[in-house]
Amino acid sequence: MMENHQIEMGALKANGLDVPNGVLRSSMIPSWSLHTTVKRVLQSIRTVIFTSKLNLLMPFGPATIVLYYTTNWHGVIFLFSMLGITPLAERLGYATEQLAIYTGPTLGGLLNATFGNATEMIIAIYALKNGMIRVVQQSLLGSILSNMLLVVGCAFFAGGIIHRNKDQVFSKATAVVNSGLLLMAVMGLMFPAVLHFTKSEIQQGASELALSRFSSCIMLVAYASYLYFQLSARNSNYSQIGSEEVPNEDATEEDEEVEISMWEAIAWLAVLTIWISVLSEYLVNAIEGASDSLNLPVAFISVILLPIVGNAAEHASAIMFAMKDKLDITIGVAIGSSTQISMFVIPFCVVVGWMMGQKMDLNFQLFETATLFITVLVVAFMLQQDGIANYLKGLMLVLCYLIVAASFFVHVDPQASDDD
């Protein structure tokens, strides 16, 4: 009886209350678990949402939805949706990097390949669903041009200014592999355009579409082979191909700090992807109205303005790594993203359009194809020349991008003219 009395009288202080030992096991453990879960969720929200200054733009997302249903200001809706998607694209890249830490280099590389350009893919799929094939083609082309000229140019310029007393060196071997894939992508885009403009098709329109779909399947196989080549028997996506030393490997590992758990990263990937999908629909629906209200060509909006949304994460990270004298990572981020879009996203959109019954092809028209071809040649020459970066090369690439932007500002899409 004495032992039972002691057990009943034994108590623990919990939240300032005397709680019997028997009650602790039945009710205190679930409440403690709930308290821990809530605390963990709040900590995850603080880490993902409130640590990036770019997230100050997130309120533009809900504002886009409100304006869409209450006004006809298509130009404002388009700009607000762009501003709302920009921080989401950056956070999507952050969540992917966090998940890649847990999965290892092989699966992490596949995740980066899948989610690295998820924003462009989501916007493209919504545009395809609405039959806006030219918007899809021009926005993806603009992402390639933006990454190769603007992102690399700004990174070289910023890194060259910070480290102007020395030459910044990067791996030529990595640049050669990416340049080869980009040239292959140009070849895949060029033949349908040449076939169309020389009017040498066996069946008018059908041959061009069939060639595009066949070439897209070949490009997807080539990109899968490239991923296997990069990820097999290598420690990092940014390792120098054919080089005996990897000077930036330790620095890369230092930058990979675990900030959220694996399941938190998966949950954030799902939430961010859904929210980007919602805003992308409003963005696509407002493009034509924005073109009229802002008095801007649809080609300029698609090639120059839309890529700003998807390339926000690449732009910021590439410049940051260049300023830290980690140019191999900068090349991997910017040129690697261009390779993903040209060899994976564009062929993927052709296949998805095939499934949707949309006649999405690789004929990007003569003007766009020539622009891409010249851009790839210019960037490939600069990257393979000596493996050295400086602010002058960066400035030249940025100025080249301004010329491209001005060209599309005065460019009239031939298909749009025919429709009118």
Side-chain angles (χ1 to χ4, degrees):
M1 292 293 294
M2 180 65 67
E3 292 179 357
N4 293 336
H5 178 70
Q6 290 176 349
I7 292 175
E8 292 176 359
M9 294 298 294
L12 293 175
K13 291 282 187 178
N15 298 324
L17 298 175
D18 290 340
V19 181
N21 289 341
V23 179
L24 178 65
R25 294 181 180 178
S26 61
S27 62
M28 286 302 297
I29 292 179
S31 63
W32 178 82
S33 177
L34 178 62
H35 174 72
T36 304
T37 302
V38 172
K39 184 177 179 181
R40 192 66 177 267
V41 170
L42 294 176
Q43 176 66 24
S44 179
I45 293 175
R46 189 186 71 82
T47 301
V48 176
I49 301 298
F50 296 104
T51 56
S52 174
K53 294 181 180 179
L54 197 62
N55 289 343
L56 293 173
L57 299 176
M58 281 192 176
F60 284 99
T64 298
I65 300 176
V66 173
L67 288 175
Y68 183 83
Y69 289 105
T70 58
T71 68
N72 291 322
W73 303 341
H74 297 289
V76 177
I77 294 171
F78 175 78
L79 293 176
F80 273 36
S81 59
M82 280 184 58
L83 293 173
I85 292 176
T86 299
L88 299 177
E90 190 273 335
R91 290 289 86 183
L92 190 68
Y94 166 81
T96 304
E97 292 173 359
Q98 288 293 307
L99 184 58
I101 297 175
Y102 296 97
T103 58
T106 302
L107 187 56
L110 294 174
L111 286 171
N112 282 317
T114 304
F115 288 98
N117 292 295
T119 305
E120 289 92 336
M121 292 176 64
I122 293 171
I123 294 175
I125 290 174
Y126 271 105
L128 266 180
K129 189 177 70 172
N130 293 345
M132 304 170 68
I133 295 176
R134 288 297 291 158
V135 171
V136 176
Q137 293 176 332
Q138 291 173 340
S139 63
L140 295 178
L141 172 72
S143 294
I144 299 174
L145 299 177
S146 174
N147 276 306
M148 296 185 68
L149 294 176
L150 184 62
V151 176
V152 175
C154 289
F156 279 11
F157 182 79
I161 294 296
I162 297 296
H163 304 279
R164 56 182 175 273
N165 295 326
K166 68 171 185 177
D167 291 329
Q168 289 187 291
V169 181
F170 58 88
S171 169
K172 290 175 63 177
T174 305
V176 167
V177 173
N178 282 289
S179 299
L181 284 169
L182 288 169
L183 287 172
M184 180 181 178
V186 170
M187 184 178 70
L189 297 178
M190 182 173 289
F191 281 115
V194 172
L195 191 67
H196 174 78
F197 285 100
T198 57
K199 301 186 184 302
S200 55
E201 303 172 76
I202 295 178
Q203 295 180 346
Q204 188 69 27
S207 299
E208 172 191 334
L209 185 61
L211 175 61
S212 297
R213 290 170 175 173
F214 175 78
S215 299
S216 296
C217 295
I218 297 298
M219 291 164 70
L220 289 173
V221 171
Y223 185 71
S225 302
Y226 162 73
L227 280 182
Y228 178 78
F229 176 73
Q230 285 286 77
L231 300 177
S232 61
R234 285 170 173 79
N235 295 324
S236 171
N237 281 336
Y238 307 114
S239 61
Q240 299 182 14
I241 301 174
S243 176
E244 296 180 356
E245 298 179 358
V246 186
N248 286 331
E249 181 179 357
D250 296 335
T252 304
E253 292 177 354
E254 291 176 1
D255 290 332
E256 293 183 348
E257 298 179 358
V258 177
E259 297 182 1
I260 57 178
S261 68
M262 182 180 70
W263 290 109
E264 289 173 351
I266 294 174
W268 279 112
L269 281 176
V271 170
L272 291 170
T273 302
I274 293 172
W275 187 224
I276 289 174
S277 301
V278 171
L279 291 182
S280 296
E281 186 172 5
Y282 296 103
L283 177 71
V284 171
N285 291 336
I287 287 178
E288 294 181 352
S291 175
D292 296 333
S293 60
L294 298 176
N295 197 23
L296 292 174
V298 175
F300 181 81
I301 292 177
S302 302
V303 177
I304 304 301
L305 296 184
L306 280 183
I308 295 176
V309 175
N311 293 339
E314 288 93 343
H315 206 148
S317 59
I319 293 176
M320 178 188 68
F321 285 124
M323 294 174 67
K324 292 180 179 180
D325 198 20
K326 301 174 183 177
L327 279 189
D328 284 319
I329 303 181
T330 295
I331 299 298
V333 169
I335 304 300
S337 178
S338 297
T339 304
Q340 287 177 9
I341 295 172
S342 60
M343 295 294 293
F344 174 70
V345 179
I346 291 178
F348 177 78
C349 288
V350 172
V351 174
V352 170
W354 190 1
M355 296 177 180
M356 289 182 175
Q358 299 285 352
K359 295 182 179 180
M360 168 76 182
D361 56 24
L362 296 179
N363 177 16
F364 278 43
Q365 301 298 317
L366 191 60
F367 184 83
E368 287 86 344
T369 305
T371 303
L372 178 62
F373 179 62
I374 295 171
T375 298
V376 171
L377 287 182
V378 170
V379 175
F381 175 76
M382 286 195 177
L383 293 181
Q384 299 179 28
Q385 189 176 18
D386 50 15
I388 296 176
N390 51 56
Y391 68 89
L392 179 60
K393 287 184 177 180
L395 180 61
M396 291 172 61
L397 290 175
V398 173
L399 294 177
C400 288
Y401 185 75
L402 294 179
I403 294 175
V404 170
S407 301
F408 278 97
F409 185 77
V410 297
H411 172 63
V412 178
D413 192 358
Q415 289 194 1
S417 301
D418 295 341
D419 294 339
D420 295 339

